[in-house]
Amino acid sequence: MPASMFSSPMLQQVVLAALLAGVLALLGPWWAVYDLHVDEGFNLAKAAAVAEGHALYREVWNDQPPLLTYVLSAVHRLVPHSVAAARIVVLLFSLVLVTSLFRVVLRAEGRFAAWTAALLLTSCGFFLQLGVSVLIGLPAIALAMLSIDLATAGGRRRRLLAFLAGAAFAAAVFTKAFAMIALPALVAALWQARRRDGADAPAPWAHAIGGSALVSAAMLAGMGGFAADQLLGTHVDARGLEALRHQGGPSRLVSLAWKLAPAPLAFALLFGLGAFRMRPGSSLLLPVIWIASAALLLSTHNPLRDHQVLILIVPLCWLGGIGFKSLFRPGERLPLGDFMLGNRDRRIVAASAALLLAGGAVLAVEVARDLAAAQRYLDPAPTLGEQMARERLGLLAGTTRTLVTDRPIDAYRHGLSVPPELAVWSLKRLQTGAVTDDDVIAAIAAHPGAAVLLRRFAHSPDFLRRIGALVPPVTTASDRLSSSSFHYFQSVHAVGPLEQAILPGLPMLMADGIGGLDGPGGGRVSRPSSDHRLPPGAIVARPPGSAQELGACLVAAARAADSATLAAEALGVGRALACAQTQGGGWQEATGGTALCDSADFRRPDDAHATFDDGTVPSALLFAFALEDLLAERGVAPPRWLTMMVDRALGFVLGTQRPDGSWPQSLEAGRYHGHATLNDDAMTGLVRILLVGHERRGGERYRAAAMRGGDFLLAVQGDARQPAFAQQYRDGLPTAARRFEPAAYSTLETAFAVNTLIDLHLTTGEMRFRDGAAAAAGWLADSAVAPATWARLHAIGTNRPVYARRDGTVVERLEDLPAEERASYRWQGGRDVFPEIGHALDRIALLAEGAEAVRAYDRRLRASALLADAPTARLWLDPAAAAGSPGEDGSTRAFAQRCAGLVAAEK
């Protein structure tokens, strides 16, 4: 682009605006963030109420001027309940602010100073934060800067520009009253413009006052008069609060200015003040006056909030930009510039340069921190409270149009109205007594059918009981495990038969955690053979009896009964399982004593005891996928915790795969846990879930890892005489694990491998996987000890069935085992004992008919059970189980089996 073309002021402003928008977009998806600031919800709720016909100050309580509310209400009428549209409006104000600042400085000081001032502002992280937040401060400052821009424009239309400058300034004050801070600077701008144009130029004062008066009259007429009790009362009362008494003063103002705008403050102090001292009557007078009035008023304001400091940052950028130019410009050069650029002593020049570089480095670090803070602000991870609000409202709020809430962004994002008198249920109103518990109760009573969602403030039990007397509380069984102050109330639909059969048992089942069963000596344990009691709140992730089994049945029940309540219960189980994930993304057998991960001191368990045993990870992921599908069917976006749980778990599987393609039984050190393990579908289940991950998430890495797992299976498969698989391997050879698990080939684990190799063949089309599966299936068919009956273990070499006692003694007849040991392990049986052997033989036979025949078989299997692809957690959809009892031992497994039976009976 030619230099003359870039010299066009209009083009430079376009480039500047594009630069600001681009920086904001690079920092984060600000348009999609759920809630950038709590005040966004207040401003949006007020705008929605006005758009619905409620009057500000009479029906809608409001302690701020009305202009932005009117603008947002107009936007709301055009694009209802669009937070992104409201943020774009604020972005437009940001562009006005930056370009007005640029024009004012360009007009008086030239291009270099204008770009310096504008870049100081656009690189200020705090300005970027407020640049898209639906708050009233920045729009007010933008209008004040626009008024100064108009006042300094000059030209032939001086009277019109003065009139517009006054109108813009009145609009600024009627957006937020603190814009009055810029009034002395505006007066000085009008005075300078008059002096520059000459004594015969028309005086601008009357026109500026006329414009201001016109806008003020229009605003007051729309307000129905000046609402002093709201506009002044709460602010005056707040100044007297003891809790806020020490949140102001000059020291706080200086510390906030350095914290929020280190570069503008440094440039103004180092260069701007020196330039003003040399040219006190120049355009530098305007930012100095603005800074002085802002410093005077803000340092006496109590409490002093972060967002109020922006009105000081703008003139600091203005002053700093001009001062930096004066460091280099002949005739205006600062003494510091003369000292650095004009001194011939090399040592002094070198020392000055070093000092300047050191100061620049310190400032660069501060600016980097500033921008990092802006990035965290503009792209934050949604809190668990936000996600729970989305879940609960997305599932349950379809029967109401009004939401009473202490976080009104929840209502706005779900297309719900807030009672106008509670649109601003702010901390300041609570602290000053402007809103009380009685006011909230009255608002709930005045809006029959309204739902209530509380998640910001800590509310007293008595207050919650009073709400519950008006609107029934809706609490999932897992809510009791959360430390969140999350409370939801709504009159829900009549409970159907399936809900009546399932819901009453959940509170007791999940009273002390999720998963597991009652131990023989009392208390909850994770395994039938364990005597180690689980701590309160523990989440059991290892099947059978795992949280995911209960969750999977709740998903199926919610779908069968079309029940939002059961869907909410399933989500609660999913949240608990997500919080129980280890740091790397796996799960321990049971995560002890963890509250849901919204507590401030929450720490995820480490990976040292994460396990793959009994299909822990695949079954958890299959439940998560079922939950995603249920939410999609109900039109609810999956919460971030669910998406992250899936992605972290799949990443954990990838990260723990060994170079040879295998996985251990668990990450626990010692004993047999580190062996490459097929036992109980540990490794084979991981290969299959990676194929599911590839199907659902895409990404070649999941498919490639699954193929590496398949290559390991083919590498360790027995030779042509015994093309079978062992329970575990060490250095590629079958090895023993527990005393009663000798190194041997296993029919059940061979069946797991056959099904996994078939799945790999169906996905990749590679014949080596099919050939390996066919050879192993042939061994299974040949190794039956009786028609359709198999022994679990076969000796390597002789292929004779073997059985082992607890002391490690190997015998060749089942009858040689003690009766107790015979019943404590699946040593021998048919398809009822080893269903996977039957599936493997059926599928390999159907594969001869083609891939579609196998897929049809798989669809029938999945329709007959929950978690069908996780054999260790599978719940058969057997209507006969509906008549059973969940048992007196509090077993999650028994409850889930009965739940599956009820679902089957419902169908």
Side-chain angles (χ1 to χ4, degrees):
M1 181 181 295
S4 58
M5 188 174 180
F6 188 73
S7 65
S8 164
M10 181 59 68
L11 179 59
Q12 292 180 60
Q13 292 172 58
V14 171
V15 172
L16 179 58
L19 175 66
L20 174 57
V23 169
L24 283 165
L26 289 174
L27 286 175
W30 49 266
W31 54 90
V33 174
Y34 189 84
D35 190 6
L36 288 173
H37 191 283
V38 65
D39 285 2
E40 282 196 313
F42 300 147
N43 293 322
L44 292 168
K46 288 186 294 184
V50 170
E52 292 165 6
H54 298 286
L56 269 179
Y57 308 108
R58 292 192 296 274
E59 297 176 88
V60 183
W61 191 95
N62 185 27
D63 64 346
Q64 298 293 343
L67 182 58
L68 185 63
T69 299
Y70 292 151
V71 172
L72 293 176
S73 68
V75 174
H76 177 86
R77 292 187 185 98
L78 293 173
V79 192
H81 299 284
S82 173
V83 178
R87 288 176 180 163
I88 289 172
V89 169
V90 178
L91 174 60
L92 294 177
F93 278 107
S94 301
L95 299 179
V96 169
L97 175 55
V98 170
T99 54
S100 291
L101 174 64
F102 179 85
R103 283 194 299 268
V104 169
V105 181
L106 176 69
R107 198 174 289 133
E109 301 289 341
R111 185 166 57 187
F112 182 80
W115 271 103
T116 303
L119 290 176
L120 280 173
L121 185 58
T122 55
S123 63
C124 175
F126 187 60
F127 166 71
L128 296 173
Q129 292 179 31
L130 299 185
V132 289
S133 300
V134 189
L135 307 177
I136 61 177
L138 186 142
I141 300 168
L143 290 169
M145 191 69 235
L146 176 62
S147 71
I148 294 176
D149 179 16
L150 294 167
T152 57
R156 296 179 179 178
R157 295 175 291 179
R158 299 182 186 91
R159 295 172 180 174
L160 175 61
L161 290 172
F163 178 88
L164 293 176
F169 190 79
V173 174
F174 276 93
T175 301
K176 189 171 179 65
F178 81 158
M180 285 296 296
I181 286 173
L183 179 60
L186 174 61
V187 172
L190 291 168
W191 172 75
Q192 281 195 340
R194 170 74 186 280
R195 191 180 67 170
R196 182 192 63 210
D197 292 338
D200 58 341
W205 316 113
H207 299 89
I209 292 172
S212 177
L214 181 63
V215 171
S216 299
M219 288 290 102
L220 288 171
M223 294 167 59
F226 187 74
D229 58 328
Q230 296 179 37
L231 290 170
L232 299 178
T234 307
H235 299 283
V236 172
D237 293 342
R239 293 178 65 89
L241 292 174
E242 183 63 32
L244 305 179
R245 194 173 298 279
H246 303 294
Q247 294 187 17
S251 62
R252 176 170 170 79
L253 177 61
V254 173
S255 65
L256 282 177
W258 175 253
K259 170 188 171 185
L260 302 175
L265 181 61
F267 272 61
L269 292 177
L270 290 174
F271 313 125
L273 291 180
F276 175 70
R277 183 180 177 185
M278 294 182 65
R279 298 189 291 134
S282 67
S283 66
L284 287 159
L285 179 64
L286 304 185
V288 168
I289 290 176
W290 188 335
I291 291 170
S293 58
L296 177 64
L297 292 176
L298 292 180
S299 62
T300 60
H301 190 276
N302 191 48
L304 181 60
R305 305 297 190 191
D306 288 10
H307 62 271
Q308 295 167 326
V309 180
L310 181 62
I311 201 166
L312 177 63
I313 293 173
V314 173
L316 287 175
C317 295
W318 186 350
L319 182 63
I322 298 175
F324 190 67
K325 179 208 72 169
S326 300
L327 185 66
F328 306 103
R329 186 169 179 175
E332 298 178 4
R333 186 177 294 159
L334 301 177
L336 177 62
D338 288 332
F339 180 78
M340 292 174 55
L341 301 176
N343 201 304
R344 297 182 179 181
D345 189 327
R346 294 182 178 179
R347 291 173 298 177
I348 294 178
V349 171
S352 300
L355 185 62
L356 187 62
L357 288 173
V362 171
L363 189 59
V365 170
E366 292 298 326
V367 171
R369 290 176 179 171
D370 195 32
L371 291 175
Q375 187 171 34
R376 291 191 297 272
Y377 179 91
L378 295 172
D379 188 15
T383 66
L384 190 61
E386 291 173 357
Q387 295 177 75
M388 291 175 71
R390 277 190 163 181
E391 297 163 16
R392 203 62 55 91
L393 292 171
L395 289 172
L396 298 173
T399 59
T400 185
R401 296 191 62 186
T402 305
L403 182 70
V404 177
T405 176
D406 54 7
R407 199 89 186 202
I409 193 73
D410 294 332
Y412 197 83
R413 281 199 169 275
H414 290 86
L416 302 174
S417 299
V418 175
E421 62 272 30
L422 292 180
V424 184
W425 184 356
S426 65
L427 180 61
K428 184 185 292 184
R429 286 191 75 190
L430 281 175
Q431 291 174 326
T432 59
V435 64
T436 65
D437 289 354
D438 290 340
D439 295 330
V440 177
I441 296 296
I444 296 171
H447 294 82
V452 182
L453 172 58
L454 308 176
R455 67 177 183 91
R456 183 184 180 197
F457 303 121
H459 300 284
S460 70
D462 179 67
F463 178 59
L464 297 175
R465 281 193 297 269
R466 293 174 67 189
I467 296 176
L470 296 172
V471 187
V474 178
T475 305
T476 67
S478 62
D479 283 350
R480 71 183 69 239
L481 303 175
S482 173
S483 62
S484 171
S485 56
F486 185 97
H487 308 281
Y488 186 72
F489 305 79
Q490 184 184 351
S491 298
V492 296
H493 65 281
V495 176
L498 191 55
E499 293 169 314
Q500 290 176 351
I502 294 173
L503 290 173
L506 291 177
M508 183 173 293
L509 186 72
M510 292 193 272
D512 202 24
I514 302 180
L517 49 89
D518 282 350
R524 198 163 54 102
V525 297
S526 61
R527 310 298 295 171
S529 58
S530 174
D531 58 1
H532 179 67
R533 293 177 58 176
L534 292 171
I539 311 300
V540 177
R542 177 184 170 188
S546 62
Q548 53 264 40
E549 294 165 55
L550 174 63
C553 195
L554 290 172
V555 167
R559 186 176 283 120
D562 190 22
S563 169
T565 304
L566 287 170
E569 294 284 358
L571 271 168
V573 174
R575 275 197 309 273
L577 197 61
C579 291
Q581 267 187 305
T582 64
Q583 295 171 5
W587 282 274
Q588 297 180 355
E589 177 179 299
T591 301
T594 177
L596 290 185
C597 39
D598 57 341
S599 57
D601 57 350
F602 175 77
R603 295 292 182 273
R604 290 191 178 278
D606 60 39
D607 297 326
H609 300 288
T611 184
F612 299 116
D613 202 10
D614 286 314
T616 296
V617 174
S619 59
L621 281 169
L622 290 171
F623 161 54
F625 292 143
L627 198 53
E628 287 182 340
D629 293 341
L630 175 67
L631 293 175
E633 292 165 13
R634 303 191 72 88
V636 178
R640 185 174 184 270
W641 62 256
L642 180 57
T643 302
M644 286 192 65
M645 180 176 85
V646 171
D647 293 343
R648 293 178 73 244
L650 287 171
F652 182 73
V653 174
L654 292 178
T656 51
Q657 187 178 31
R658 292 169 170 172
D660 63 1
S662 70
W663 285 269
Q665 185 211 51
S666 73
L667 301 188
E668 188 174 347
R671 301 172 65 196
Y672 53 85
H673 301 294
H675 298 336
T677 302
L678 278 66
N679 192 18
D680 291 329
D681 201 32
M683 184 190 136
T684 43
L686 296 176
V687 173
R688 295 198 306 276
I689 201 63
L690 284 173
L691 295 176
V692 177
H694 170 67
E695 178 183 349
R696 294 185 66 101
R697 291 291 197 263
E700 184 59 28
R701 55 182 182 154
Y702 300 133
R703 182 175 181 270
M707 291 180 68
R708 288 195 298 272
D711 291 337
F712 175 85
L713 292 176
L714 295 179
V716 299
Q717 186 175 15
D719 60 25
R721 293 170 299 174
Q722 281 182 294
F725 295 88
Q727 290 180 315
Q728 52 274 320
Y729 291 85
R730 183 175 183 179
D731 297 328
L733 298 174
T735 188
R738 292 171 290 189
R739 288 184 178 181
F740 58 90
E741 291 173 329
Y745 288 129
S746 169
T747 52
L748 178 58
E749 278 64 39
T750 297
F752 289 145
V754 168
N755 285 319
T756 300
L757 290 170
I758 291 174
D759 288 347
L760 281 164
H761 168 68
L762 293 176
T763 299
T764 67
E766 296 197 11
M767 292 302 296
R768 57 198 176 99
F769 296 127
R770 176 174 179 165
D771 293 343
W779 176 83
L780 282 173
D782 295 340
S783 297
V785 296
T789 303
W790 292 268
R792 177 73 173 268
L793 300 179
H794 288 257
I796 297 173
T798 66
N799 208 42
R800 292 178 180 175
V802 292
Y803 312 87
R805 294 174 180 163
R806 295 287 171 176
D807 62 5
T809 303
V810 176
V811 298
E812 294 187 355
R813 297 191 315 155
L814 182 61
E815 294 79 6
D816 292 336
L817 293 179
E820 180 183 351
E821 295 182 17
R822 224 179 294 163
S824 64
Y825 197 71
R826 286 191 290 173
W827 287 113
Q828 187 169 297
R831 287 189 174 218
D832 56 334
V833 176
F834 300 122
E836 297 314 300
I837 296 178
H839 298 327
L841 294 175
D842 291 344
R843 295 178 84 219
I844 202 69
L846 287 169
L847 194 56
E849 301 176 18
E852 185 52 39
V854 180
R855 293 190 178 101
Y857 177 93
D858 294 343
R859 289 192 291 271
R860 291 192 296 271
L861 174 62
R862 291 174 186 134
S864 67
L866 307 177
L867 299 176
D869 292 328
T872 52
R874 183 183 291 142
L875 297 165
W876 295 107
L877 291 168
D878 181 6
S885 167
E888 298 179 357
D889 61 354
S891 168
T892 297
R893 178 69 178 182
F895 190 99
Q897 287 174 327
R898 178 171 179 264
C899 173
L902 290 166
V903 171
E906 181 78 6
K907 293 183 177 181

